[in-house]
Amino acid sequence: MHNHNKYMLDAIQLSIDNVKKGAGPFGAVIVKDGKIVAAATNSVTIENDPTAHAEVNAIRKACKILSTFDLSGCAIYTSCEPCPMCLGAIYWAHIDKVFYGNNKTDARNIGFDDSFIYDEIDLPIDKRKVSFTQLLPKKAIKAFNDWQNKEDKVAY
């Protein structure tokens, strides 16, 4: 039996302590082989960085500590169900399992509503609230072609 409750309690305590510091109510812990590799909180307002969510911060720390961009074999314990950005980061990091405390409805109820992002993703680009314009695709494709033809690339 893994210490799921212990790791979740650690993430929850991080979120509680973060509120006391005047920051967002989110904490995350990444565990590998039964040991905490990294722990982090939301630091969006502290760092003036909208990507500094607890899960992303924990992923960044874990990758540095483990000297890898691939967190296969890891689990993340987060005080709240991950937002779309964090969910994407979790998948890109190849984290195996996600355990969460509060859900997205709980987050919405206190002003953290991510549903508009899911709605935007489903819209055609020309119908989104943020303007998207493709520029110089024939020039941009060169990097992709170079990558595709590169013999010694490190896939991720």
Side-chain angles (χ1 to χ4, degrees), residues 8 12 25-26 55 78-83 99-114 118:
M8 181 55 68
I12 291 167
F26 304 98
E55 297 92 336
T78 179
S79 62
C80 186
E81 183 177 358
C83 75
F99 299 91
Y100 63 94
N102 297 311
N103 63 34
K104 60 186 174 184
T105 301
D106 299 324
R108 182 184 64 231
N109 290 341
I110 63 163
F112 294 95
D113 187 2
D114 300 324
Y118 290 108

Side-chain angles (χ1 to χ4, degrees), residues 2-50:
H2 289 80
N3 292 319
H4 297 303
N5 289 346
K6 180 207 175 303
Y7 302 134
M8 181 55 68
L9 286 170
D10 289 344
I12 291 167
Q13 191 60 53
L14 286 167
S15 69
I16 292 167
D17 293 345
N18 212 41
V19 171
K20 291 176 186 172
K21 293 181 201 171
F26 304 98
V29 173
I30 294 180
V31 174
K32 184 170 187 172
D33 299 328
K35 294 181 182 168
I36 294 176
V37 174
T41 56
N42 177 293
S43 59
V44 169
T45 57
I46 294 167
E47 296 180 29
N48 293 317
D49 179 353

